[in-house]
Amino acid sequence: MSADISLAVSTAIFALRPHPDTGLSALWIPLVRRTRDPFENRWALPGGWVSPDESLSDAAARNLLETTGVEPTYLEQLYAFGAVDRSPDRRVVSIVYWALVRPEQADAATDGDNVRWFLADDLPELAFDHNLIVDYALWRLRTKMEYSRIAHAFLGPTFTLTELREVHEAVLQRPLDPANFRRQVEPTLVATETLVTGGRHRPPRLYRYDESVRLVDNGPLTIATPRSTP
Amino acid sequence: MSADISLAVSTAIFALRPHPDTGLSALWIPLVRRTRDPFENRWALPGGWVSPDESLSDAAARNLLETTGVEPTYLEQLYAFGAVDRSPDRRVVSIVYWALVRPEQADAATDGDNVRWFLADDLPELAFDHNLIVDYALWRLRTKMEYSRIAHAFLGPTFTLTELREVHEAVLQRPLDPANFRRQVEPTLVATETLVTGGRHRPPRLYRYDESVRLVDNGPLTIATPRSTP
């Protein structure tokens, strides 16, 4: 039996916002300041306990909204963290999700005393094993960017090829050759009739993803993205 | 709090053994007959409860050994299944692992009244949501075969290119062109000095995987393969 094990959910949420030094897009993550022991005053991933009457993804979405006000465009289970000593005062197994939000959603979750956005690659020492969890979530995000259309969740419904490339560059943290990038992604895109106006000689075209292909292939599992949460 | 949620582990174990009709390699999975309600007499994935003093992967390895006698060469966390109604009499969240074993290890786990090997693609109706879990594990295995060296876990330390190709063909369930396959896998292999003797005109060479590359890249997480379990 497992009556002595507490089950929690936590979520690593990523958004792209400008880096304060360079002005270029960078990955940010919202953290919550702990108001009690263990690790009082340390920053931690938003999360909480699972209620007996809610699924794991519902628990993740509810705790995310309650602690940060964020409703993600993409939510996927990352991993179950269950080392025996990961919490000092009791046994806690955490089912961790990772989520992506668009910049305007990130702006809605304003900083406060107990919620703050941090550069994902430059974090302080977090509570519990949350630095390890963020490292793993970053690795999963960067791996998945290479072979799926995860960048979609960072953008609106239409975007220019330059905007899409800049998302990939910000997540992967390296410049990409524009011509090569165009060749790789164009088969997954649908060109709209709309050009971006603004006085340039050759106004860029807006694209959208081909919706007949699923955003991320999770095989036989349907991973629900929470559209509305109570 | 989560005192009303029980935490279990289950494992989907795959081995390659001959298909009874074709004699070709096929994926098999060991199942355990349930001896009590819910789902008494139905077949289910081996598993059990997590003890407060053991990690999730230790719990998976222990339950696997206790129920089937199998010690896998590869063990990786698959997914946490936590739908509210997946067990009829109480709330159970199951952390599911998937594992691979070599044929000789599979043979050690002999069939009994309450343990039996089934063709993974032709299962009866299982207890709980275990058919869904096996479908997802099969999808993960087949996806991972395409971009990692997971086939290693099905083979001994050395093997011929034909043996390696037959593992891929058995898992993916389609024939592969020998010349193309050779071109794709040779960069990941080290040729040994050993030829397979046996009277053929051109005895095939034995290869081994390049051990300087990790079997499966799990990024910053180290997924322990249990080498010995109590």
Side-chain angles (χ1 to χ4, degrees):
Chain A
M1 287 301 305
S2 58
D4 297 332
I5 303 178
S6 298
L7 191 65
V9 290
S10 294
T11 305
I13 308 136
F14 298 109
L16 288 175
R17 308 172 117 188
H19 192 289
D21 299 337
T22 65
L24 297 173
S25 268
L27 284 168
W28 293 76
I29 186 168
L31 297 174
V32 176
R33 192 200 296 273
R34 287 187 58 80
T35 55
R36 58 175 175 270
D37 268 331
F39 299 108
E40 186 176 356
N41 288 322
R42 286 262 195 103
W43 296 94
L45 294 169
W49 306 112
V50 180
S51 296
D53 60 349
E54 65 186 349
S55 71
L56 299 174
S57 59
D58 285 349
R62 175 182 58 77
N63 278 293
L64 199 48
L65 192 66
E66 286 174 0
T67 53
T68 67
V70 166
E71 291 188 79
T73 44
Y74 180 78
L75 183 70
E76 183 188 321
Q77 198 185 100
L78 178 70
Y79 201 76
F81 289 81
V84 173
D85 59 355
R86 58 188 296 275
S87 180
D89 59 348
R90 67 164 104 177
R91 179 76 191 278
V92 180
V93 170
S94 287
I95 316 291
V96 178
Y97 283 74
W98 63 293
L100 306 178
V101 298
R102 295 183 182 144
E104 66 272 21
Q105 298 169 303
D107 292 341
T110 46
D111 282 1
D113 271 0
N114 293 320
V115 179
R116 193 179 298 170
W117 288 79
F118 291 81
L119 281 164
D121 287 299
D122 187 21
L123 294 180
E125 193 173 338
L126 305 181
F128 307 106
D129 51 0
H130 289 191
N131 288 96
L132 172 71
I133 292 176
V134 174
D135 284 349
Y136 184 54
L138 279 168
W139 176 83
R140 179 83 68 94
L141 168 61
R142 286 171 173 146
T143 305
K144 213 144 190 173
M145 283 285 284
E146 308 259 16
Y147 65 86
S148 79
R149 301 184 303 118
I150 199 81
H152 192 176
F154 284 120
L155 294 163
T158 61
F159 42 82
T160 66
L161 284 175
T162 301
E163 287 171 338
L164 183 61
R165 177 169 50 79
E166 284 171 355
V167 167
H168 280 257
E169 289 176 338
V171 170
L172 300 176
Q173 295 195 296
R174 56 184 165 85
L176 300 170
D177 177 73
N180 280 343
F181 181 78
R182 182 188 192 107
R183 262 194 301 279
Q184 281 173 14
V185 300
E186 266 197 330
T188 69
L189 301 178
V190 177
T192 71
E193 297 301 311
T194 311
L195 303 181
V196 179
T197 53
R200 283 203 275 177
H201 185 56
R202 289 188 59 190
R205 183 175 295 281
L206 286 179
Y207 289 79
R208 61 178 174 80
Y209 273 111
D210 183 354
E211 298 295 340
S212 66
V213 185
R214 290 173 63 188
L215 176 60
V216 171
D217 186 2
N218 275 298
L221 291 185
T222 303
I223 311 296
T225 299
R227 288 164 206 288
S228 66
T229 32
Chain B
M1 287 301 307
S2 59
D4 297 333
I5 302 178
S6 298
L7 191 66
V9 290
S10 292
T11 305
I13 308 136
F14 298 108
L16 289 174
R17 309 172 115 187
H19 192 289
D21 298 338
T22 65
L24 297 174
S25 269
L27 285 169
W28 293 75
I29 187 168
L31 298 174
V32 177
R33 191 199 299 271
R34 288 187 57 81
T35 55
R36 57 174 175 271
D37 268 333
F39 299 108
E40 187 176 356
N41 288 322
R42 286 263 194 101
W43 295 94
L45 293 170
W49 306 112
V50 180
S51 296
D53 60 348
E54 65 186 349
S55 71
L56 299 173
S57 58
D58 285 349
R62 175 182 58 78
N63 278 293
L64 199 49
L65 192 65
E66 286 175 1
T67 52
T68 66
V70 166
E71 291 188 77
T73 45
Y74 181 77
L75 182 71
E76 183 189 320
Q77 197 184 101
L78 178 70
Y79 201 76
F81 289 80
V84 174
D85 58 355
R86 57 187 297 275
S87 180
D89 59 348
R90 67 164 103 178
R91 179 75 191 278
V92 180
V93 170
S94 287
I95 316 291
V96 178
Y97 283 75
W98 64 292
L100 305 177
V101 298
R102 294 183 181 144
E104 66 273 21
Q105 297 168 304
D107 292 341
T110 46
D111 282 1
D113 272 0
N114 293 320
V115 180
R116 193 178 298 169
W117 288 79
F118 291 80
L119 282 165
D121 287 299
D122 187 20
L123 295 182
E125 192 174 339
L126 305 182
F128 308 106
D129 52 0
H130 289 192
N131 288 94
L132 171 71
I133 293 177
V134 173
D135 283 349
Y136 184 54
L138 279 167
W139 176 82
R140 179 82 69 94
L141 168 62
R142 285 170 174 147
T143 305
K144 212 142 191 174
M145 283 286 284
E146 307 260 15
Y147 64 89
S148 78
R149 301 183 304 120
I150 200 81
H152 192 176
F154 284 120
L155 294 163
T158 60
F159 42 82
T160 66
L161 285 175
T162 301
E163 287 170 339
L164 183 61
R165 178 168 49 79
E166 285 171 355
V167 167
H168 280 257
E169 289 176 338
V171 171
L172 300 177
Q173 292 195 299
R174 56 185 165 83
L176 299 171
D177 177 73
N180 279 343
F181 181 78
R182 182 187 193 111
R183 262 194 302 278
Q184 280 172 15
V185 301
E186 266 197 330
T188 69
L189 301 177
V190 177
T192 71
E193 297 300 310
T194 311
L195 303 179
V196 179
T197 54
R200 282 201 276 175
H201 185 57
R202 288 189 57 191
R205 183 175 297 279
L206 285 179
Y207 288 79
R208 61 178 173 81
Y209 273 113
D210 183 353
E211 297 295 342
S212 66
V213 185
R214 291 173 63 187
L215 175 59
V216 172
D217 187 0
N218 275 298
L221 291 185
T222 303
I223 312 295
T225 300
R227 288 166 204 291
S228 65
T229 32

